[in-house]
Amino acid sequence: MVDLVGQHAKIQSELDEAIGRVMATGAFVKGPEVAAFAEELAEFTGSKHVIPCGNGTDALQIALMALGIGPGDEVITTGFTFISTVEVVALMGAKPVLVDVHRDTFTIDPEQVRTALTPQTKAIVPVHLFGQMADMDALMDISETSGVPIIEDNAQAIGAAWCGNTNRHGQSGTFGLMGTTSFFPSKNLGCMGDGGAIVTSDDAVATRCKQIANHGMVKQYHHDVVGINSRLDGLQAAILRVKLKHLRGYLSARQAAAARYDALLEGCAGLHIPAREQRSSHVFHQYTLKIGGGRRDALRTHLAEHGIPSGIYYPVPGHAQQAFSHFQYNPDTYTVSAELARTVLSLPMHTELTEEQQQFISDVIIKFID
Ligand SMILES: *Cc1c(COP(=O)(O)O)cnc(C)c1O
């Protein structure tokens, strides 16, 4: 599904140099590389602060903690996402209020967010799924009228941009009070282990996130609030600084690969190529088809028989997860998520994908479907 070995081989000497630099200084946790990366990512996103942390799940948790979210509170999000988005809300003792997604773009339905608001709602967490942004025009309107802050789960869409109807434009993760992201190796900006960050332009929120990620401490050994231990290490930061320089190129390579899949698969009856939200660029963390006629699983098996990997993101939506059964979600409310769980299929998508590989994959798909 990804080719990190191929991607890294092309920048081997830059990576070696970066890793060598960290080994030479011994700054393995925190240190100058982490600070420099935070600054460079802030510049890239156009937001004021970047707070690096241990991973994308921690980033979400720290964001919720910064808002003081706990028992009795509600957080509105979607279940058609990686588990972290919902998990951290439950972990904080709050209630994840799940709403359904759009059938075509797979992102949260703002009308349902509006309906789900209650006096207990403390945050809205849209997910920019598969590389495309949720409807930030509508969501920011809801946030501004209700006063409920937005935390954007931007683990899959770093570098995507929104150009909205109402003067709203900017990069993913910079609209809400906070944006969170992950540097898990397979993400669009990935390191060689775990990593994550919170992005914000609010000074007070930035200070609070930094403090929470560092054991609730500002002055050494003086702990003002209950925090956690979540940090990016020096090696990962040095690697990320190298890869951030190439990120625009990586995103273009993904978009070019997506356009090639589109051209090869468009018009093939029985499948839908990914729909585009006109106001968002798409950075294609995943290239996700919808396969009709109940044939998704058979196609997946057929692909595997031809040595082609594929993925199902996500086979079980949040409302149907055993871990959340105590929230007693009504399955009738999530018809779109349930349908997508049965029909989506993600194809190999990465920066090193060749035309020949895509031609082969598409031929196998078309022959099966016809
Ligand atoms: C990957 C991902 C996360 C979690 O990131 P980790 O670094 O693996 O903890 C959260 N949300 C979404 C949507 C993701 O894709």
Side-chain angles (χ1 to χ4, degrees), residues 20-347:
R21 208 166 59 221
V22 176
M23 286 179 70
T25 60
F28 294 121
V29 170
K30 301 193 175 163
E33 297 290 338
V34 179
F37 171 64
E39 253 172 55
E40 288 158 11
L41 186 62
E43 193 180 329
F44 177 91
T45 59
S47 99
K48 206 165 160 193
H49 306 280
V50 167
I51 300 94
C53 65
N55 55 66
T57 310
D58 279 4
L60 284 162
Q61 182 182 334
I62 292 162
L64 296 178
M65 289 174 79
L67 294 174
I69 288 169
D73 295 335
E74 296 178 357
V75 174
I76 302 173
T77 187
T78 149
F80 194 65
T81 175
F82 184 60
I83 194 75
S84 307
T85 325
V86 184
E87 177 181 52
V88 290
V89 178
L91 194 63
M92 292 292 96
K95 182 181 180 196
V97 174
L98 302 182
V99 304
D100 218 351
V101 292
H102 283 301
R103 182 172 269 105
D104 45 358
T105 57
F106 315 138
T107 55
I108 196 165
D109 179 350
E111 276 323 303
Q112 293 187 40
V113 171
R114 211 185 295 274
T115 314
L117 286 169
T118 74
Q120 283 72 50
T121 311
K122 292 289 149 50
I124 301 164
V125 186
V127 181
H128 301 316
L129 203 72
F130 301 155
Q132 187 161 247
M133 291 175 70
D135 182 348
M136 293 315 292
D137 283 345
L139 291 165
M140 289 306 293
D141 283 347
I142 293 169
S143 176
E144 280 162 16
T145 34
S146 64
V148 175
I150 287 179
I151 301 166
E152 299 170 65
D153 183 342
N154 194 29
Q156 300 188 5
I158 195 162
W162 182 262
C163 191
N165 301 330
T166 51
N167 275 336
R168 294 195 203 282
H169 42 79
Q171 274 198 53
S172 56
T174 67
F175 285 79
L177 181 59
M178 286 171 268
T180 63
T181 198
S182 162
F183 307 120
F184 185 77
S186 64
K187 300 285 157 101
N188 286 15
L189 176 62
C191 57
M192 296 188 189
D194 275 307
I198 302 123
V199 167
T200 183
S201 285
D202 185 298
D203 295 341
V205 167
T207 304
R208 203 164 162 74
C209 288
K210 218 173 283 175
Q211 180 183 23
I212 289 165
N214 187 26
H215 300 287
M217 167 170 97
V218 175
K219 189 174 161 206
Q220 185 134 48
Y221 304 127
H222 292 69
H223 305 270
D224 306 328
V225 298
V226 176
I228 63 173
N229 172 26
S230 184
R231 51 205 178 197
L232 186 69
D233 68 64
L235 282 169
Q236 302 311 334
I239 289 162
L240 286 165
R241 290 182 72 195
V242 171
K243 293 186 72 174
L244 180 59
K245 286 197 202 114
H246 296 281
L247 182 58
R248 281 283 158 223
Y250 290 155
L251 300 182
S252 303
R254 286 174 178 274
Q255 288 166 336
R260 290 199 297 266
Y261 271 140
D262 280 355
L264 290 163
L265 294 169
E266 207 160 21
C268 178
L271 66 77
H272 294 275
I273 62 170
R276 309 297 202 275
E277 157 64 69
Q278 292 308 313
R279 295 162 293 175
S280 173
S281 58
H282 198 324
V283 292
F284 287 97
H285 177 59
Q286 298 295 345
Y287 185 90
T288 304
L289 301 172
K290 286 192 288 182
I291 310 296
R295 304 182 73 195
R296 192 267 314 267
D297 293 338
L299 172 58
R300 186 157 196 241
T301 306
H302 184 74
L303 287 169
E305 284 164 5
H306 287 77
I308 301 168
S310 61
I312 298 172
Y313 314 110
Y314 295 91
V316 184
H319 74 268
Q321 293 288 355
Q322 172 89 50
F324 305 138
S325 57
H326 57 292
F327 293 118
Q328 299 185 310
Y329 297 113
N330 176 1
D332 297 340
T333 319
Y334 309 102
T335 49
V336 177
S337 299
E339 180 195 310
L340 293 177
R342 288 190 301 269
T343 55
V344 289
L345 187 68
S346 296
L347 299 182

